[in-house]
Amino acid sequence: MAIGKRLKKANANVDRNKFYAIGEAVATVKGNATAKFDETVEIAMNLGIDPRHADQQVRGMVVLPNGTGKTVRVAVFARAAKAEEAKAAGADLVGADDLAEQILAGNMDFDRCIATPDMMGVVGKLGKVLGPRGLMPNPKLGTVTPNVTEAVKAAKGGSVEFRAEKTGIIHAGVGKASFTAEALEQNVKAFVAAINRAKPTGAKGTYIEKVSLSSSMGPGLKVDVADLVASLQG
């Protein structure tokens, strides 16, 4: 009953027909995040693409300026000096063949997987396990790299991977409701700017069609796309 009342009150604060300027959108989402836990603020974007075509895929990684507010566990495939470097950078799991064996045995207590280039012979055998979970290291995403320290710190500090679904929708968490409105707005703009930069060559017509913001347990609201894109220039 309490949840029903809370959602009813939150819905009353949202105009379903209105397109909110980004500042007002963030403030409204924050105000509606009244659950007993720190809700995640989520963005959903409808893109004018058909990801089934190779020249219309949108995928990448962006480091949010204020982090995600989530604790990210990082596994690193590396040997010798690079393994020590990974541990020093804060990686939670570091190994080579031993780590591969753990993963094959079903021990996958991590959120991001990084590998040095020389380890791809080992990691490649884990494709069927890591791939479906979106954990396979990928050079294009910066998760296959000799720069272990940088990659681990980016993963720990708030890097977000994005990938358009078959329907052309991208969604991601861009912070916590406990963040300041300014921090959330900066994160949203950084995420949208990254999507804008990732515009594929095959995209025709309007690229960013719709944007909405919500919290984990709150109603979604529509963002004024023109205002948001214009604000990226400022």
Side-chain angles (χ1 to χ4, degrees), residues 38-118:
D38 194 5
E39 297 181 50
T40 297
V41 174
E42 302 170 354
I43 187 170
M45 302 178 66
N46 292 60
L47 305 180
I49 58 171
D50 184 348
R52 293 175 297 180
H53 298 290
D55 64 348
Q56 293 188 50
Q57 293 179 5
V58 177
R59 186 179 185 185
M61 188 89 73
V62 57
V63 177
L64 301 181
N66 301 294
T68 62
K70 290 175 61 179
T71 299
V72 179
R73 287 182 58 80
V74 179
V76 177
F77 281 91
R79 289 191 174 101
K82 288 297 179 181
E84 294 305 313
E85 185 182 329
K87 292 174 185 176
D92 300 277
L93 298 168
V94 181
D97 296 281
D98 55 331
L99 180 55
E101 288 173 10
Q102 287 181 44
I103 291 172
L104 287 173
N107 300 321
M108 297 182 60
D109 185 22
F110 54 89
D111 309 292
R112 189 69 55 79
C113 188
I114 295 165
T116 53
D118 62 301

Side-chain angles (χ1 to χ4, degrees), residues 45-62 138 140-141 160-172 190-204 206-209:
M45 302 178 66
N46 292 60
L47 305 180
I49 58 171
D50 184 348
R52 293 175 297 180
H53 298 290
D55 64 348
Q56 293 188 50
Q57 293 179 5
V58 177
R59 186 179 185 185
M61 188 89 73
V62 57
N138 187 320
K140 294 180 180 179
L141 300 177
V160 174
E161 183 180 344
F162 57 84
R163 185 174 189 173
E165 299 173 354
K166 292 179 181 179
T167 53
I169 295 174
I170 283 181
H171 54 81
F191 187 83
V192 174
I195 301 300
N196 219 14
R197 289 193 298 271
K199 181 178 180 179
T201 55
K204 307 297 180 185
T206 303
Y207 176 49
I208 301 178
E209 296 180 339

